[in-house]
Amino acid sequence: MQIHVFENAAQVGQAAATLIAAQVLSKPNAVLGLATGSTPIPAYQELIRLCKAGVVDFSQVRSYNLDEYCNIPEDHEQSYRTFMNVNLFNHINIDIANTHVPNGNAADAEAESAAYDAAIAAAGGIDVQVLGIGRNGHIGFNEPGDSFIYGCHQVTLAQSTIEANRRFFESEADVPRQAISLGIGSIMNARKVLLLATGADKAQAIRDSVHGDINPQVQASILRNHPDVIFLLDKAAAGLL
Ligand code: GLP
């Protein structure tokens, strides 16, 4: 694995955007695996800038997001579909029909999950997977547990994740309890993985992922087995390495 430590979150975003832009320049119809959360926002802002400057053309790019909450409307202001539209897709020349987010309201979550993995495979697999990391080491919504789950699946959020995401909702009771998430196998199948982490509250999860055992209690630790994974960290997130 490669680890790069930057001075601040803005530089982490620029580095991530540069790597994503390079992928799109070398393969105009690249398949991007995208993430939500506050961490990738600077990277998305830089991609918007590069697109507006005419440096990167997203017109043929396909994207598959990592996860989506269950049981909130797709156009809810906190849905991950809305997040992606507001923070990236509405500002670049991507064809919105080529952007994909799991359907968290599917009547049959298992069928939706299988179809989502199949759609990624049919698109040729993910070229670059962008990840943030939860304070408990989760990636996507793969929460600490007894095993690594291979495929896309419905998950019940950990209490610590509900508390972490509470800031986006009016009350803790409004935070969705379930989500559909790419599995660890789906993530590990990406040809390149970029994990972004900024801020001191991610330092322990980064330390456990890099130096701890490879262990489903810290789901990101499995990334050490990936042949092309790059951790892009600011100094605070790297503070316990
Ligand atoms: C959510 C998302 C993750 C994200 C994590 C951290 O749980 N499902 O994909 O990595 O939040 O979010 P943030 O970047 O806001 O700390």
Side-chain angles (χ1 to χ4, degrees), residues 1-239:
M1 79 191 300
Q2 289 184 50
I3 301 177
H4 296 286
V5 181
F6 298 90
E7 204 59 43
N8 54 48
Q11 289 177 352
V12 170
Q14 283 184 354
T18 303
L19 290 165
I20 297 164
Q23 174 66 64
V24 175
L25 284 165
S26 69
K27 181 181 174 187
N29 68 343
V31 178
L32 303 181
L34 299 177
T36 56
S38 43
T39 309
I41 288 177
Y44 295 157
Q45 288 172 342
E46 178 66 5
L47 287 176
I48 292 166
R49 193 187 69 75
L50 290 171
C51 181
K52 290 197 160 134
V55 178
V56 192
D57 172 14
F58 288 91
S59 60
Q60 296 178 62
V61 165
R62 285 122 349 124
S63 74
Y64 288 85
N65 260 76
L66 267 176
D67 46 17
E68 178 61 285
Y69 289 122
C70 293
N71 304 319
I72 60 173
E74 192 187 34
D75 62 358
H76 187 285
E77 62 173 1
Q78 293 303 336
S79 77
Y80 285 173
R81 163 53 77 182
T82 299
F83 176 98
M84 290 309 301
N85 289 350
V86 167
N87 288 293
L88 184 63
F89 299 151
N90 289 350
H91 311 286
I92 60 175
N93 67 334
I94 199 165
D95 179 350
I96 204 77
N98 287 338
T99 70
H100 307 274
V101 179
N103 176 7
N105 293 303
D108 182 343
E110 212 172 300
E112 166 66 15
S113 299
Y116 200 72
D117 272 338
I120 291 172
I126 292 171
D127 291 303
V128 181
Q129 177 66 58
V130 178
L131 296 175
I133 186 168
R135 290 176 217 170
N136 62 7
H138 76 217
I139 47 178
F141 268 131
N142 292 282
E143 298 283 26
D146 298 333
S147 62
F148 295 108
I149 297 176
Y150 188 86
C152 187
H153 59 290
Q154 188 171 44
V155 292
T156 297
L157 305 190
Q159 184 57 32
S160 59
T161 300
I162 293 168
E163 283 159 18
N165 291 352
R166 189 244 166 280
R167 67 191 194 278
F168 300 115
F169 292 85
E170 274 188 23
S171 73
E172 192 183 303
D174 293 324
V175 183
R177 267 40 187 177
Q178 290 186 306
I180 291 181
S181 176
L182 280 192
I184 292 296
S186 333
I187 293 169
M188 291 293 280
N189 282 337
R191 285 182 271 282
K192 179 187 272 299
V193 176
L194 307 177
L195 184 140
L196 285 55
T198 55
D201 61 339
K202 302 294 173 64
Q204 188 65 47
I206 291 297
R207 183 191 157 79
D208 292 345
S209 302
V210 173
H211 292 308
D213 295 338
I214 295 178
N215 166 355
Q217 287 297 326
V218 182
Q219 295 271 320
S221 63
I222 192 98
L223 296 172
R224 302 219 303 271
N225 286 340
H226 192 282
D228 186 0
V229 58
I230 307 179
F231 277 29
L232 301 169
L233 312 174
D234 71 356
K235 276 185 163 175

